[in-house]
């Protein structure tokens, strides 16, 4: 666990990795409720709602806004 202290802790590291993977997946697919849910579950979140909340906290955008903005 100490190895992750400089990264904000293990939980923060895992969350950051999940969000990075989700960003990649969202860039590849079309966004609709089903797609966001698929990305949420595929990246280890327990619900699409929780995923959207964390995604917005980390990126400043909802998953749909992220895709619509065409961010990479």
């Amino acid at each position: 666990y100490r190895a992750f202290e400089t990264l904000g802790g293990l939980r923060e590291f895992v969350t950051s990795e999940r969000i990075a993977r989700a960003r990649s997946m969202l860039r590849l697919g079309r966004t609709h409720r089903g797609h966001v849910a698929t990305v949420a579950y595929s990246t280890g979140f327990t619900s699409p709602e929780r995923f959207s909340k964390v995604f917005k906290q980390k990126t400043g955008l909802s998953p749909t806004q992220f895709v619509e903005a065409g961010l990479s």
Side-chain angles (χ1 to χ4, degrees):
Y1 292 107
R2 288 185 180 171
F4 294 99
E5 284 179 9
T6 60
L7 302 171
L10 182 58
R11 181 181 297 182
E12 184 63 30
F13 173 76
V14 170
T15 300
S16 295
E17 290 297 309
R18 287 178 175 170
I19 295 299
R21 176 74 177 134
R23 288 170 58 128
S24 295
M25 292 176 74
L26 288 170
R27 275 187 229 113
L28 297 175
R30 286 180 249 150
T31 300
H32 49 79
R33 177 139 176 84
H35 179 66
V36 171
T38 299
V39 171
Y41 293 124
S42 296
T43 53
F45 287 88
T46 57
S47 72
E49 294 80 10
R50 177 74 179 141
F51 165 68
S52 292
K53 181 178 180 178
V54 173
F55 190 92
K56 188 165 187 171
Q57 287 174 342
K58 298 293 182 186
T59 66
L61 299 169
S62 71
T64 302
Q65 291 169 329
F66 178 83
V67 172
E68 289 173 352
L71 299 174
S72 54

